[in-house]
Amino acid sequence: MRKLLLIPFLFFSLTIAAACSGSDDTEQPDTPDRLSGNSKILVTYFSATGNTQAVAERIVELTGADVYRIRTSVPYASNPYDDSDRIQNEAYNDLRPAVANLPSAETIAQYDTIFVGSPCWWHQPAMVVCTFLENYDLSGKTIIPFITYGATTYLNESMQKIYKLTPNSKHIPETLPEDLDPDDITTPGRPDDDGIYMPGRASGVEAWLRRMGLTVE
């Protein structure tokens, strides 16, 4: 069984620069879920068109993690821009679209470390990811978000959202920069992503894991 090793010294000694994640715009063939419980690591993600999926699959390849793709009960348009009004409404009103394929609580309880992936939509993670997180007791588990987006803004806001929904979990990174405009997600806020690093593309995943002090045994 592969184990993910956390190396605190390496993690805390790194100075991590802000990075721009790529937009979720690359079609990828579908990958079946694998929730065997043979690994204590789970990569769970929502991907509209493929980029978040590609990052997720690379994490799985490097860590030996199990994988689960979040699917909405009412699918989005194949081009998310065609569903812009729906996505904006969900984000701005903090709605919770239904998940079509929720695993059981017993299944999720098997995992100690959960990577949570999403595109950044209207300054937030996809709201269906929030639906997933709120369905489980994730106390004591290590949550590692990965966000894909074609801009350098709103990365902090997206990660802050995931942290707030998992208050009793451990997080990597342990802390985030201060959200300078926490009560306003509808207008461009002041830049506050400095110090957050994201892989953006699958090719950046290995370096991202190592910069966080994560290695594979």
Side-chain angles (χ1 to χ4, degrees):
M1 179 189 300
R2 279 180 158 181
K3 294 182 179 179
L4 197 65
L5 300 182
L6 310 187
I7 307 177
F9 176 78
L10 177 59
F11 173 68
F12 289 113
S13 66
L14 290 170
T15 301
I16 300 176
C20 171
S21 296
S23 60
D24 204 46
D25 59 3
T26 306
E27 290 290 348
Q28 296 287 329
D30 200 16
T31 298
D33 295 342
R34 184 178 71 246
L35 292 160
S36 66
N38 291 332
S39 173
K40 293 301 181 184
I41 311 161
L42 176 65
V43 176
T44 183
Y45 69 97
F46 170 78
S47 185
T49 57
N51 193 49
T52 309
Q53 178 184 347
V55 173
E57 290 175 347
R58 182 60 174 153
I59 297 171
V60 170
E61 180 182 0
L62 291 170
T63 64
D66 282 358
V67 61
Y68 159 70
R69 181 173 183 170
I70 300 168
R71 303 176 189 277
T72 54
S73 294
V74 179
Y76 295 98
S78 56
N79 181 348
Y81 289 103
D82 294 335
D83 256 340
S84 183
D85 288 345
R86 172 187 171 187
I87 293 167
Q88 183 189 55
N89 180 57
E90 290 173 352
Y92 284 7
N93 293 289
D94 202 26
L95 303 182
R96 295 293 183 268
V99 177
N101 59 331
L102 276 175
S104 68
E106 292 76 16
T107 297
I108 298 301
Q110 300 175 99
Y111 300 100
D112 298 328
T113 300
I114 303 177
F115 289 84
V116 179
S118 175
C120 177
W121 278 358
W122 288 102
H123 321 162
Q124 299 282 289
M127 289 294 104
V128 71
V129 173
C130 301
T131 306
F132 167 83
L133 292 172
E134 288 183 337
N135 267 275
Y136 303 101
D137 179 4
L138 302 176
S139 300
K141 298 186 184 299
T142 298
I143 304 297
I144 307 175
F146 59 101
I147 307 295
T148 55
Y149 188 47
T152 56
T153 56
Y154 309 121
L155 180 57
N156 189 21
E157 286 84 347
S158 297
M159 294 182 67
Q160 293 273 3
K161 183 74 169 183
I162 291 173
Y163 281 34
K164 289 174 183 176
L165 293 174
T166 55
N168 298 315
S169 301
K170 304 170 187 176
H171 299 100
I172 296 180
E174 184 176 358
T175 60
L176 294 170
E178 180 186 1
D179 186 350
L180 298 179
D181 299 285
D183 299 321
D184 183 7
I185 64 166
T186 63
T187 59
R190 291 168 288 175
D192 57 10
D193 291 343
D194 191 35
I196 301 176
Y197 176 82
M198 281 287 129
R201 299 282 181 181
S203 59
V205 167
E206 184 171 1
W208 173 63
L209 292 173
R210 294 189 182 281
R211 292 182 77 162
M212 289 191 297
L214 307 181
T215 61
V216 178
E217 184 178 55

